[in-house]
Amino acid sequence: MSDCRKYVDYIMEQAKNLLAIDSPSGYGREVTEYLLKELEALGMPARRTVKGGVIADFGGRNKEDGILLEAHCDTLGGMVAQIKENGRLKLTNIGGMKPANAEAENVRIITKADGIYEGTCQLVDASVHVNGSYEKTERTWDTVEVLVDEDVKCREDAVKLGIMPGDYVCFEPRTRITSSGYIKSRFLDDKLSAAILMGYAKYIKDESVNPERRVYAHFTIYEEVGHGGAASVPEGVTEAWSVDMGCVGEGLQCTEREVSICAKDSGGPYNCDIVCRLVELAKEHGIGYVVDVYPHYGSDVETTLKAGHDVRHALIGPGVYASHGYERSHRDGAENTFRLIQAYIG
């Protein structure tokens, strides 16, 4: 098996690039344009789906027993639900964005025609020296708001800027990679795993690998709202995986440095034969892994099955702590995930 350090370096670089592109669910054109450009540079045939995601063909011999790797490039976010009389913005969440995690974050407001404005998501009446109920206030989408970083004093001022309901509000990812190998950012779920699939594409290209089975990748843009993997399964695919984040938390074995193999989540068990084979390969190749059950989780590939596709399914990914918040993982987790894909597919 090839020395994978250069591919892990490439994965971390791709993760940083992907994380820098705003892409809350449904707002995917920029991130998919980036993917199409990068895949073209690698010589990988790829196309944009009607829905807006990207399907790539990584090659392989047997098209009648293909495998589909799914990773999502959409993220959590917000949308303007209302412009208040004071010109501040009430939000509705996109996906599982939590108001307590949104508070005190910088944002970008993507208007439909008149440009992009910066802002800050704050608690209503956020000055501690003024608001005696600051600590007691429950954080909900009714009690946090966005202040536009322009001279906005009333609703009409915001409207003049071109801001309106339905505008996307994108949260600053604050990506940082430490000298110790940790990567910290919003939206590692799932741009880190999308980067891992890009790393696997580079490996196939650089090493002239021709897997026994045809390998496809689907970069989806609606996973966080529940229907990312519902369509666009190439003909001949018999197996589909979500390559997504592994859960790190109390009651689970996974840390940020392992690949997590999910046996069951809120949607039920994953294919037992694949899970057992993944464990066998991880042991054989000295890959850092754990098997866990996720209590509050649903994946793209479960959507694929619910849409009626007759495939075997699996879920793996690097361990990610503080999911749907300011997340943390490690390059070791990315490497172990990459190596497990290598070992399974070739």
Side-chain angles (χ1 to χ4, degrees), residues 80-132:
V80 177
Q82 175 190 346
I83 304 174
K84 301 180 181 182
E85 288 302 316
N86 62 3
R88 298 179 182 184
L89 310 178
K90 180 178 179 179
L91 300 187
T92 180
N93 59 303
I94 293 175
M97 190 79 192
K98 303 295 184 185
N101 275 325
E103 183 185 356
E105 191 61 87
N106 292 320
V107 302
R108 283 178 286 275
I109 303 147
I110 314 292
T111 67
K112 295 178 180 60
D114 295 331
I116 299 173
Y117 297 99
E118 293 193 20
T120 314
C121 186
Q122 294 279 24
L123 183 71
V124 173
D125 197 14
S127 298
V128 174
H129 291 88
V130 177
N131 183 357

Side-chain angles (χ1 to χ4, degrees), residues 10-23:
Y10 176 81
I11 286 166
M12 300 301 275
E13 177 188 351
Q14 286 293 332
K16 281 202 306 183
N17 293 344
L18 289 166
L19 288 160
I21 302 171
D22 292 326
S23 56

Side-chain angles (χ1 to χ4, degrees), residues 5 47 63 108 141 171 190 243 273 307-308 329:
R5 283 175 294 183
R47 62 177 176 86
K63 289 187 175 182
R108 283 178 286 275
W141 293 111
F171 288 80
D190 184 33
V243 186
D273 292 336
S329 191

